[in-house]
Amino acid sequence: MFCLSELEDTVRVPPDLLKLPLEVAIKKVLQKLFLDKVLSIGLCVSIYDIKSAEGGFVLPGDGAPTYKVVFIIVVFRPFVGEVIAARFKESDSNGLRLTLGFFEDIYVPAPLIPRPNRCEPDPCNRNQMRWVWIFEEQEYIIDDSYQINFRVENISYPPVPTERAEDGAIDDDGLGPVSWWEGCSERNNEDDDT
Amino acid sequence: MKNIIVKANAGTLTNFEVLDLLNSRGASNDTTTRVIAPVSTSEYKVYDYLMETPACTQTLEILTNFSDQCKDFKLAKAEILNIINIRPSFTVELAPILEEPIERGIDNKAIEGILKLVEALLPPLPTVEACGENEEEETEEGEQS
């Protein structure tokens, strides 16, 4: 889910931060620039380390020094095929939307919800639709009572690089709300015996 | 603003390693420490998410021990990472993690072996009630002190 990436950038340190040790000041500026932003390599979660900072030249007409910094950040970048535990956020007729707290653009499109299923207007929320999975004549509602395991199918970056959406699948064994599977191992063992 | 990405992937991290990093910076569940610690709000969102995953019960020794013993099963690195992050307890939870198990010769016996290893080496997620009790204990201590 997470990995480290090494970046190099020119960083301008505003004069009001110069009373702090250099490393702390540069880290503050980097955090403001990168934290919680989506880059082409993923969502930046944290500044891991500063490898080197050189320069410190003050350009004419500017009161702030500029450093060339090489640093390492922690990015959230899942790979296709990864299984992630998420929580239900909302659902509509197109599918579900799941959230991880720090990342909320996980969509499960309708074709990837286990079939047979049906979609009905949610009795609790007027604007939302509720998805129900029908298996062996038992109905399982997809809602926010338990965490949902999903597998990453596709990662897309929209043209304006502020959000990033992921498509997930929950129509395979072991995916979907965890409560569906918790009692299941006994059933599986019985099937093997017969 | 032009960024020059030197290395897009300088190493993969398990959930535990990210949690450990945030812990070492001073992140915690205690509300008073949250304001003082040098951890930003968005980093706290990641911390809160990770504290609900099996990563909150793992240590570095557990993970190195587990990945050493996984070598017998010839699993891909990504699959070991997935198993560490999700901690499957049932066959049905392990199934979406393994890619083409039959073609690779991973039969039911091997799957059971992997699950036994997970059960033995990776600590389970504390149940929600246990977590709730822990929070109550902390607040009680806070009031007493």
Side-chain angles (χ1 to χ4, degrees):
Chain A
M1 236 199 301
F2 300 100
C3 66
L4 298 173
S5 290
E6 196 174 315
L7 301 181
E8 183 186 324
D9 197 16
T10 36
V11 169
R12 178 184 176 275
V13 181
D16 59 317
L17 292 180
L18 291 177
K19 59 180 185 284
L20 302 165
L22 182 62
E23 204 184 295
V24 177
I26 293 184
K27 202 168 183 188
K28 267 190 152 42
V29 178
L30 289 176
Q31 280 181 335
K32 205 165 168 195
L33 283 176
F34 290 100
L35 223 55
D36 217 22
K37 305 273 190 333
V38 176
L39 310 173
S40 58
I41 43 172
L43 172 72
C44 175
V45 161
S46 180
I47 311 291
Y48 186 72
D49 190 25
I50 299 176
K51 273 182 94 172
S52 72
E54 51 183 47
F57 300 114
V58 179
L59 300 170
D62 190 9
T66 315
Y67 293 89
K68 191 167 109 173
V69 186
V70 179
F71 55 101
I72 305 181
I73 53 172
V74 180
V75 276
F76 167 69
R77 182 176 69 225
F79 50 89
V80 173
E82 184 170 357
V83 177
I84 299 177
R87 291 212 167 262
F88 170 86
K89 186 175 171 168
E90 59 189 14
S91 67
D92 59 17
S93 42
N94 291 333
L96 310 172
R97 187 169 171 184
L98 307 176
T99 172
L100 295 178
F102 57 93
F103 183 72
E104 305 207 320
D105 293 325
I106 301 171
Y107 300 97
V108 183
L112 294 175
I113 298 179
R115 276 187 237 113
N117 58 40
R118 71 161 198 276
C119 186
E120 60 191 20
D122 195 345
C124 312
N125 285 317
R126 257 178 300 145
N127 297 331
Q128 288 191 29
M129 306 291 278
R130 191 169 66 173
W131 287 88
V132 181
W133 181 44
I134 306 159
F135 178 69
E136 289 183 0
E137 294 177 34
Q138 276 226 295
E139 294 200 339
Y140 298 92
I141 304 173
I142 301 179
D143 62 9
D144 57 1
S145 49
Y146 274 91
Q147 79 178 26
I148 297 184
N149 286 355
F150 74 96
R151 184 178 57 217
V152 178
E153 291 285 315
N154 174 13
I155 304 175
S156 61
Y157 296 87
V160 177
T162 47
E163 289 161 30
R164 193 184 63 168
E166 274 173 36
D167 279 343
I170 58 169
D171 65 346
D172 202 356
D173 293 336
L175 300 177
V178 173
S179 62
W180 292 358
W181 306 106
E182 260 165 18
C184 228
S185 63
E186 294 153 11
R187 229 179 336 151
N188 284 340
N189 289 338
E190 284 167 22
D191 288 341
D192 289 341
D193 288 338
T194 53
Chain B
M1 183 180 65
K2 267 194 217 163
N3 292 342
I4 305 168
I5 299 174
V6 175
K7 241 193 269 180
N9 188 356
T12 340
L13 299 174
T14 56
N15 286 2
F16 161 74
E17 286 165 311
V18 179
L19 189 60
D20 198 36
L21 173 71
L22 293 172
N23 268 326
S24 68
R25 294 245 215 97
S28 77
N29 271 326
D30 185 23
T31 35
T32 36
T33 328
R34 281 202 168 200
V35 183
I36 307 168
V39 179
S40 70
T41 327
S42 57
E43 285 169 327
Y44 262 118
K45 285 190 189 159
V46 180
Y47 178 81
D48 288 336
Y49 170 77
L50 290 175
M51 284 302 277
E52 292 188 357
T53 64
C56 65
T57 53
Q58 293 167 352
T59 68
L60 196 56
E61 293 132 15
I62 292 177
L63 295 193
T64 23
N65 194 13
F66 181 78
S67 52
D68 281 338
Q69 304 224 9
C70 264
K71 287 187 187 147
D72 302 328
F73 294 103
K74 295 187 211 139
L75 296 172
K77 223 176 157 199
E79 289 171 340
I80 302 182
L81 184 74
N82 254 340
I83 293 173
I84 289 177
N85 285 344
I86 298 274
R87 203 211 175 254
S89 342
F90 311 111
T91 316
V92 87
E93 280 184 305
L94 185 57
I97 294 177
L98 299 175
E99 215 180 286
E100 319 241 319
I102 305 167
E103 276 99 353
R104 284 157 58 190
I106 299 176
D107 56 355
N108 283 338
K109 244 188 166 178
I111 290 182
E112 270 176 47
I114 298 172
L115 286 174
K116 280 211 180 104
L117 206 61
V118 171
E119 183 69 40
L121 294 180
L122 297 181
L125 192 62
T127 55
V128 180
E129 297 130 66
C131 273
E133 283 167 21
N134 285 342
E135 285 172 17
E136 285 169 19
E137 283 171 40
E138 282 176 13
T139 49
E140 281 172 24
E141 285 167 11
E143 286 165 42
Q144 282 166 14
S145 61

